[in-house]
Amino acid sequence: MPCRKKCPQNAFGRITYEAGQYGGLTKLPGRDGSYSLLTCDRQMAEDEENEIKTPTEVPDYGTAVSIIKYCRECELNCRIKPS
């Protein structure tokens, strides 16, 4: 799965819970127990610390007071289409 391979934090690197705990849903990445929310939470906190606090002009939006650039590599590389 490209989403798992693209994760720079390796949040999908090991089984962290049993799939049955969440109804055995295996359609989406991580539903098989191989997703570490804690790993992503740490990265999000780091992203928030690196927030761009200078007003920035954003095309088709206007001026943003601040910008946080979250990782989102798994999401952006997911090939599963939402239903």
Side-chain angles (χ1 to χ4, degrees):
M1 293 184 166
C3 49
R4 293 180 188 215
K5 292 176 184 172
K6 290 289 185 173
C7 178
Q9 291 78 30
N10 197 25
F12 297 95
R14 63 185 182 87
I15 301 296
T16 59
Y17 59 86
E18 295 295 322
Q21 289 177 275
Y22 295 95
L25 301 173
T26 57
K27 182 178 177 185
L28 296 173
R31 294 293 184 135
D32 63 355
S34 64
Y35 170 68
S36 172
L37 179 60
L38 181 59
T39 300
C40 285
D41 284 348
R42 285 185 195 134
Q43 180 61 47
M44 285 179 21
E46 184 178 316
D47 295 339
E48 289 167 358
E49 287 177 14
N50 295 322
E51 173 184 15
I52 299 170
K53 296 182 181 178
T54 307
T56 306
E57 198 63 31
V58 179
D60 300 321
Y61 176 79
T63 302
V65 176
S66 66
I67 297 175
I68 300 173
K69 294 182 179 182
Y70 291 107
C71 175
R72 297 182 60 208
E73 284 298 319
C74 61
E75 178 185 355
L76 298 172
N77 286 282
C78 184
R79 292 187 181 162
I80 297 173
K81 303 291 183 220
S83 47

